[in-house]
Amino acid sequence: MKERIPTYEVITFGCQMNDHDSEVMAGMLESLGYEPAASTGEADVILVNTCCVRETAENKIYGLLGRLAHLKDKKDDLIIGIAGCMTQQPEVARKIKNRFPQVDLILGTHNLHRLPELLLQVRKCRERVMEVWDQAGEIVENLPIRRASRVKAWVNITYGCNNFCTYCIVPYVRGRERSRRPEDILNEIRRLVQEGYREVTLLGQNVNSYGKDLPEPTSFARLLTEMDQIPSLLRIRFTTSHPRDFTQELIDTIARCPHVCEHIHLPVQAGSNRILKLMNRGYDRDYYLDLVKRIRQAIPGVAITTDIMVGFPGETEEDFAQTMDLVERVRFDGAFTFVYNPRPGTPAARLPEQVPDEVKSERIQKLIERQNEITLAHNQALVGRVEQILVEGESKTNPEMMSGRTRTNRLVIFPGSRDLAGQLVNVTVTGARLTHLEGKLAATV
């Protein structure tokens, strides 16, 4: 009788960094002989990769753990593990251990590479395991990985963050900034290109400060220049950029390198100098507006997206009005908007004058409504134009259609054959929605 192959599922919350970590977790599980499960209920191992940047994400994760308890009741040998940013907070890890006995394995962000050993320990000893390192060790290279796409890939260039914005928990759960060696990054990208990947997105909490901590300091601009010379790599993206470290050298490099896409995610967070100072962002609105101006002058057609927070402690109507004014001045192509909620352990959580929830709700709705109007106007301006698309595969919402992205990172849905995946094609934009463009195939590039 053929031996049954064990299965797994990784459930991910949070940012692109977490998406990439989950790909690594999946790769490590498959190196142990596991295969993806057809459904959550059929999995032998369920791993939850967590986020603690927003309170709403934490609440969703607690709810999920409660629901997974029912699966554990039906399947005694099921292993449930939890990892990521939430567990890196000691009080949260203890809470999970005490309140959720169905969780067999708890590990943090710094010891993700230990997953295979810890999982085998749980399986062999049939006991709960909790291992969360206080500090990050050396960067572990060449971990197995199961990438979600066959066309585009995430590649970490830094881990951790040194900025300590007063509202942000990331430096406490991801550690201080650590850069990978450029040769390790470039070798990984060359292997990806050999495997057929055509687009790479570089990841870091602040990619702009890449290389400052290395024994032989280098710069993000220099890394982009070397990447741009790799044959058959069609597109280069990166996220996230901190405005404070966005140098003129970097602007000129993006403008000069043909494979670096004309899309920059540049979180502003607020338009009020007073609030920016309280946030410890390290720049003011005039600096940010001048930076946007210099970027647009050097990179024609560039798309600039951003993050904007509403309801930071002490935010007045005038402060919010200045944020709305900045939105009008910049006219972002898109924005991730959210309300401030206190993160225990961060300085902002201890600030006086916490903004009432009803005020936050009113302000965020006003911001979303206006930004949506601007985003839609940007998209509508593209109708009739021919855009170069890197085809990613079938549309997630309509398998009869294909999907891909413009160089400015706009999603385009269009009719076409499946064998176009991984190719550059020209698409004439025929319609514009808030979240995507519609088009028809023009000609292969």
Side-chain angles (χ1 to χ4, degrees):
M1 183 176 179
K2 186 177 180 181
E3 185 177 353
R4 178 179 173 274
I5 298 175
T7 60
Y8 74 90
E9 180 171 7
V10 180
I11 302 172
T12 310
F13 294 81
C15 64
Q16 296 97 332
M17 196 76 78
N18 271 21
D19 288 334
H20 183 57
D21 284 349
S22 290
E23 290 181 337
V24 174
M25 293 164 72
M28 288 189 284
L29 287 170
E30 295 194 6
S31 73
L32 295 176
Y34 287 81
E35 289 185 352
S39 67
T40 304
E42 297 180 25
D44 298 297
V45 171
I46 299 174
L47 297 179
V48 183
N49 192 10
T50 65
C51 172
C52 63
V53 172
R54 309 274 178 267
E55 185 179 12
T56 50
E58 286 196 3
N59 292 336
K60 288 180 181 178
I61 291 162
Y62 288 134
L64 173 63
L65 292 179
R67 293 191 298 276
L68 291 179
H70 299 295
L71 291 180
K72 189 84 166 181
D73 292 338
K74 299 176 182 177
K75 191 174 183 179
D76 185 59
D77 60 349
L78 169 66
I79 293 178
I80 299 174
I82 185 165
C85 295
M86 270 180 70
T87 58
Q88 200 60 48
Q89 304 169 92
E91 68 282 1
V92 175
R94 287 191 296 269
K95 178 180 178 180
I96 293 171
K97 182 179 180 181
N98 294 332
R99 284 186 51 188
F100 299 95
Q102 67 271 26
V103 175
D104 303 285
L105 172 61
I106 301 173
L107 70 159
T109 60
H110 301 324
N111 63 329
L112 189 65
H113 62 282
R114 291 265 297 150
L115 173 62
E117 290 82 0
L118 299 177
L119 185 60
L120 290 173
Q121 184 179 338
V122 172
R123 181 71 77 189
K124 181 178 180 181
C125 301
R126 302 304 301 171
E127 63 181 19
R128 302 178 76 193
V129 173
M130 176 175 169
E131 182 180 294
V132 181
W133 292 3
D134 292 336
Q135 295 183 336
E138 295 294 321
I139 294 174
V140 180
E141 295 286 351
N142 301 316
L143 291 172
I145 184 167
R146 185 185 191 273
R147 299 187 186 272
S149 168
R150 293 298 303 166
V151 175
K152 58 182 185 176
W154 309 109
V155 173
N156 268 105
I157 64 171
T158 67
Y159 297 89
C161 184
N162 290 350
N163 287 310
F164 289 93
C165 300
T166 57
Y167 55 81
C168 187
I169 194 69
V170 169
Y172 306 96
V173 296
R174 288 279 181 178
R176 300 303 295 267
E177 191 171 283
R178 291 142 5 249
S179 299
R180 293 177 65 193
R181 298 187 307 167
E183 55 267 34
D184 291 329
I185 296 169
L186 295 170
N187 285 337
E188 179 180 355
I189 294 169
R190 291 186 186 103
R191 289 195 300 270
L192 287 168
V193 172
Q194 290 173 358
E195 293 169 11
Y197 289 90
R198 294 295 173 254
E199 176 180 300
V200 166
T201 300
L202 304 178
L203 295 179
Q205 301 298 337
N206 178 15
V207 292
N208 301 356
S209 61
Y210 168 77
K212 294 179 179 179
D213 60 314
L214 292 172
E216 296 183 14
T218 183
S219 70
F220 183 51
R222 192 174 306 167
L223 179 66
L224 287 179
T225 299
E226 293 190 48
M227 277 187 65
D228 194 65
Q229 299 168 18
I230 296 176
S232 300
L233 178 59
L234 301 180
R235 289 185 174 182
I236 301 168
R237 301 188 188 275
F238 54 88
T239 191
T240 292
S241 290
H242 196 296
R244 180 176 56 192
D245 300 309
F246 212 110
T247 64
Q248 188 62 46
E249 178 196 18
L250 179 54
I251 295 173
D252 295 339
T253 298
I254 296 168
R256 183 180 66 249
C257 292
H259 300 113
V260 179
C261 290
E262 298 83 7
H263 169 232
I264 296 170
H265 189 66
L266 196 65
V268 66
Q269 303 298 1
S272 160
N273 285 340
R274 191 177 71 86
I275 296 300
L276 287 170
K277 186 174 182 180
L278 286 172
M279 289 178 168
N280 191 37
R281 290 293 288 171
Y283 55 84
D284 61 20
R285 62 180 282 129
D286 287 341
Y287 170 88
Y288 188 91
L289 290 169
D290 178 69
L291 176 59
V292 168
K293 180 180 178 181
R294 288 187 286 120
I295 289 171
R296 285 178 168 161
Q297 286 176 340
I299 310 169
V302 66
I304 298 178
T305 55
T306 196
D307 296 342
I308 305 174
M309 180 186 295
V310 164
F312 187 83
E315 181 187 70
T316 65
E317 285 296 335
E318 175 57 29
D319 293 322
F320 177 66
Q322 290 179 33
T323 294
M324 292 297 293
D325 176 73
L326 186 138
V327 168
E328 295 293 343
R329 289 171 182 264
V330 176
R331 293 185 61 83
F332 295 105
D333 292 82
F336 294 103
T337 57
F338 47 93
V339 298
Y340 168 81
N341 52 65
R343 298 287 74 206
T346 62
R350 301 188 295 271
L351 288 176
E353 301 181 82
Q354 297 287 329
V355 179
D357 288 344
E358 59 271 20
V359 175
K360 293 179 186 177
S361 178
E362 180 182 337
R363 290 175 183 171
I364 194 70
Q365 291 304 319
K366 184 177 180 180
L367 173 61
I368 290 172
E369 181 179 350
R370 182 60 188 130
Q371 180 56 54
N372 282 351
E373 291 172 350
I374 295 171
T375 298
L376 182 58
H378 278 300
N379 289 349
Q380 289 172 335
L382 297 175
V383 174
R385 287 182 48 175
V386 175
E387 292 284 331
Q388 185 196 76
I389 310 298
L390 177 60
V391 185
E392 297 175 6
E394 294 178 7
S395 167
K396 294 179 180 179
T397 56
N398 184 354
E400 300 300 315
M401 306 286 278
M402 299 298 286
S403 70
R405 290 186 180 269
T406 67
R407 288 179 62 93
T408 55
N409 207 35
R410 289 178 170 87
L411 179 65
V412 183
I413 310 297
F414 61 96
S417 61
R418 290 175 176 80
D419 59 6
L420 291 175
Q423 296 185 39
L424 290 176
V425 299
N426 282 335
V427 169
T428 302
V429 179
T430 58
R433 305 290 182 91
L434 178 64
T435 57
H436 67 276
L437 303 175
E438 299 165 349
K440 60 181 181 180
L441 200 63
T444 303
V445 177

